[in-house]
Amino acid sequence: MTKNIFLLLSITLFLFSCSQKIDYATADNFITKSEKAWAKAISLGDTLAIKKIMAEDFIGMNSRGKTYDKKTLLKESIESANLFTEETYNIRLKYYGTTAIAQGGETWTKLSDSTSRKSVWTDTWIYRNSKWELIAAMDLKLN
């Protein structure tokens, strides 16, 4: 019995030691830069940046309550390229193991008439296959 307990304990410790180690300071830097890059990519129609950040199974909900996926976001970013400038601010991160919740705000200003729209958002990131991927997003329009 003692041998079985020792064997089970040894296997458990081995499995935990093989699990992915996450450097949260590096993750903070990557996710914060990625959040800013995502907004900038949408304003410029930069689909390569969006493809790098978004998971293939990404799902989002815009401020009108409409859901969208990665393919839709790529299409819409091309259609709205260079119509707005953006500013991303107040990014906060909270980790739950291999999941990160990012929250922040954005101001989008229309180039044609300088009107602006402010929103806040919550994004969900997961660490899988040794990288952080954005898997979900939700926006709330403030004005």
Side-chain angles (χ1 to χ4, degrees):
M1 182 70 171
T2 304
K3 286 183 180 181
N4 289 342
I5 292 172
F6 179 75
L7 181 60
L8 182 61
L9 182 60
S10 297
I11 291 171
T12 303
L13 289 173
F14 174 75
L15 291 174
F16 276 115
S17 70
C18 293
S19 65
Q20 296 182 21
K21 303 284 188 232
I22 298 173
D23 178 350
Y24 291 108
T26 301
D28 277 354
N29 187 42
F30 174 77
I31 292 172
T32 299
K33 284 183 179 179
S34 295
E35 290 289 356
K36 292 177 180 180
W38 175 25
K40 180 65 78 181
I42 291 170
S43 71
L44 298 174
D46 180 1
T47 58
L48 291 178
I50 296 168
K51 286 177 184 176
K52 282 185 193 177
I53 296 166
M54 302 285 177
E56 288 304 315
D57 55 348
F58 170 84
I59 187 74
M61 181 175 287
N62 68 23
S63 60
R64 295 177 306 281
K66 181 182 173 191
T67 59
Y68 60 95
D69 59 11
K70 184 176 182 176
K71 182 179 174 183
T72 302
L73 183 63
L74 291 168
K75 179 179 171 273
E76 289 178 357
S77 69
I78 293 168
E79 293 169 356
S80 64
N82 301 308
L83 298 178
F84 299 89
T85 60
E86 60 72 39
E87 176 191 3
T88 304
Y89 54 88
N90 292 341
I91 298 172
R92 293 173 305 281
L93 298 169
K94 179 74 176 169
Y95 294 93
Y96 302 93
T98 58
T99 303
I101 305 298
Q103 294 179 310
E106 294 172 338
T107 301
W108 292 84
T109 304
K110 208 185 248 189
L111 293 174
S112 63
D113 63 8
S114 297
T115 57
S116 65
R117 174 182 68 107
K118 290 185 180 284
S119 63
V120 290
W121 45 263
T122 300
D123 292 344
T124 305
W125 293 76
I126 60 168
Y127 189 75
R128 63 180 171 191
N129 302 322
S130 300
K131 65 179 182 175
W132 286 100
E133 297 180 300
L134 181 57
I135 61 163
M138 176 113 183
D139 296 315
L140 174 65
K141 185 177 173 184
L142 296 178
N143 63 346

